[in-house]
Amino acid sequence: MSFLLTPVLIAVILVLIVWIFKNEGPSKTDVEFKTKAEHRPWVDEDLKDNTENHQIEDVDESSDSEENLEHVPFSSPHIPEDEMIKRSQEFYELLNQRRSVRFISDEPVPRQVIDNVIKTAGTAPSGAHTEPWSFVVVQDEEVKHKIRMIIEDEEEVNYKKRMGDKWVNDIKKLRTNWIKEYLDTAPFLILIFKKIYGITSSGRKKTHYYNEISVSIACGILLAALQNAGLVTVTTTPLNCGPRLRTLLDRPENEKLLMLLPVGYPRKDATVPNLKRKPLEEIMVVV
């Protein structure tokens, strides 16, 4: 009986081995997904930096002193309800006028205004109060033009190859392309860099928790501050321009370009798309 079972057992074992290897290997769907993920044209390679990897941190010599950080009393004015409603409505109406403007005048803007709006952006909350942002203000005409050349060079490739037909078709209504004249004409360019980690005085790395979220909040506050000052901008995230712009502006390797804002007054002939914003009932859920 044992001699009759041996070939059967061998056959069963072979079948099991084939079944195991078949199930452990990547499926066709997995391969297709991986291939598509590796070639997504809208991924900015410079921003793929494992920003939430908290294992990069060495011992931070400032941690002991921060443990004893003094806490002070806090209070704010108790605004009457009718005044609260009035202020909130007025602020909404002010921000509701904000538009992305691509036709920016070369009319000079007071430098103090730029200083003030960036100080305002710097009031944003950040993970563990690391304040992981750098705001690079460019006013030099030659540097602005170099920035334009770098961005237009990459953006032409983005439009023709990286972005794909669907994305290009989706933004046709905005009448935008890789030509960025406003990078020359705007009195100021503000390039917002996120610091993916900090550097202590001893040269050690310090973790910047949720750095991209923190810097994004600061950018939102900056947009509101610019609108409040009567200036216009357009939020730009030039794909794959980060390394070249970082080199041009002599920024350290721990900084990654998150956003670029051309800032100024609108041109007299400026136009914007007649877009509509979603009503409150489509964006708010009350539980």
Side-chain angles (χ1 to χ4, degrees), residues 21-32:
F21 274 101
K22 182 178 179 181
N23 283 276
E24 286 187 348
S27 66
K28 181 180 179 182
T29 304
D30 291 336
V31 172
E32 289 177 351

Side-chain angles (χ1 to χ4, degrees), residues 101-170:
V101 179
R102 294 174 173 82
F103 304 96
I104 300 178
S105 168
D106 60 0
E107 181 181 352
V109 170
R111 170 59 189 279
Q112 185 61 46
V113 173
I114 302 301
D115 292 352
N116 287 339
V117 296
I118 290 180
K119 285 193 296 183
T120 303
T123 67
S126 60
H129 192 61
T130 51
E131 301 176 289
W133 42 65
S134 289
F135 299 89
V136 179
V137 177
V138 179
Q139 57 185 0
D140 181 89
E141 298 297 328
E142 183 178 350
V143 178
K144 286 195 296 181
H145 188 67
K146 288 180 179 179
I147 290 174
R148 178 181 178 182
M149 292 299 98
I150 290 173
I151 289 178
E152 288 186 346
D153 182 41
E154 291 290 342
E155 283 284 78
E156 184 174 5
V157 178
N158 291 335
Y159 272 81
K160 292 182 177 180
K161 296 181 179 180
R162 298 186 184 120
M163 291 164 60
D165 294 338
K166 184 180 186 305
W167 189 355
V168 173
N169 186 65
D170 285 346

Side-chain angles (χ1 to χ4, degrees), residues 38-54:
E38 289 175 348
H39 293 86
R40 285 185 299 173
W42 50 86
V43 171
D44 191 328
E45 295 298 325
D46 192 44
L47 292 178
K48 293 168 63 177
D49 48 39
N50 297 320
T51 59
E52 303 309 329
N53 182 4
H54 298 162

Side-chain angles (χ1 to χ4, degrees), residues 15-273:
V15 170
L16 286 173
I17 291 173
V18 171
W19 183 83
I20 291 171
F21 274 101
K22 182 178 179 181
N23 283 276
E24 286 187 348
S27 66
K28 181 180 179 182
T29 304
D30 291 336
V31 172
E32 289 177 351
F33 177 80
K34 182 178 180 182
T35 302
K36 290 179 181 179
E38 289 175 348
H39 293 86
R40 285 185 299 173
W42 50 86
V43 171
D44 191 328
E45 295 298 325
D46 192 44
L47 292 178
K48 293 168 63 177
D49 48 39
N50 297 320
T51 59
E52 303 309 329
N53 182 4
H54 298 162
Q55 303 304 314
I56 65 171
E57 182 180 24
D58 284 327
V59 177
D60 181 7
E61 71 267 19
S62 65
S63 60
D64 290 338
S65 61
E66 290 179 353
E67 286 180 1
N68 299 318
L69 180 67
E70 180 186 7
H71 283 221
V72 296
F74 172 81
S75 64
S76 63
H78 194 287
I79 303 172
E81 287 188 9
D82 57 347
E83 179 65 18
M84 291 173 63
I85 294 172
K86 179 175 178 291
R87 289 191 188 188
S88 62
Q89 178 65 25
E90 290 175 348
F91 191 68
Y92 159 70
E93 291 173 358
L94 172 66
L95 269 293
N96 194 38
Q97 297 172 30
R98 188 208 58 77
R99 300 300 305 269
S100 295
V101 179
R102 294 174 173 82
F103 304 96
I104 300 178
S105 168
D106 60 0
E107 181 181 352
V109 170
R111 170 59 189 279
Q112 185 61 46
V113 173
I114 302 301
D115 292 352
N116 287 339
V117 296
I118 290 180
K119 285 193 296 183
T120 303
T123 67
S126 60
H129 192 61
T130 51
E131 301 176 289
W133 42 65
S134 289
F135 299 89
V136 179
V137 177
V138 179
Q139 57 185 0
D140 181 89
E141 298 297 328
E142 183 178 350
V143 178
K144 286 195 296 181
H145 188 67
K146 288 180 179 179
I147 290 174
R148 178 181 178 182
M149 292 299 98
I150 290 173
I151 289 178
E152 288 186 346
D153 182 41
E154 291 290 342
E155 283 284 78
E156 184 174 5
V157 178
N158 291 335
Y159 272 81
K160 292 182 177 180
K161 296 181 179 180
R162 298 186 184 120
M163 291 164 60
D165 294 338
K166 184 180 186 305
W167 189 355
V168 173
N169 186 65
D170 285 346
I171 61 176
K172 275 185 178 179
K173 61 188 177 184
L174 303 179
R175 299 179 187 175
T176 181
N177 54 38
W178 61 85
I179 305 300
K180 312 294 183 184
E181 181 184 355
Y182 52 72
L183 295 174
D184 270 329
T185 61
F188 293 99
L189 303 181
I190 303 177
L191 291 89
I192 301 98
F193 289 82
K194 66 171 186 175
K195 296 182 179 181
I196 59 175
Y197 56 85
I199 305 293
T200 67
S201 58
S202 64
R204 295 173 173 175
K205 292 182 179 180
K206 177 181 179 180
T207 302
H208 281 173
Y209 303 94
Y210 301 108
N211 53 74
E212 185 161 323
I213 295 175
S214 301
V215 180
S216 298
I217 294 171
C219 288
I221 294 176
L222 178 56
L223 292 175
L226 289 169
Q227 179 69 17
N228 182 61
L231 299 174
V232 298
T233 187
V234 54
T235 54
T236 64
T237 52
L239 282 174
N240 298 300
C241 297
R244 293 170 67 184
L245 292 177
R246 189 167 65 243
T247 299
L248 174 66
L249 299 172
D250 195 27
R251 303 310 304 161
E253 289 188 358
N254 66 319
E255 294 189 0
K256 306 289 185 180
L257 179 64
L258 187 68
M259 189 174 296
L260 185 154
L261 301 177
V263 174
Y265 299 104
R267 275 182 8 201
K268 292 182 179 179
D269 61 345
T271 61
V272 295

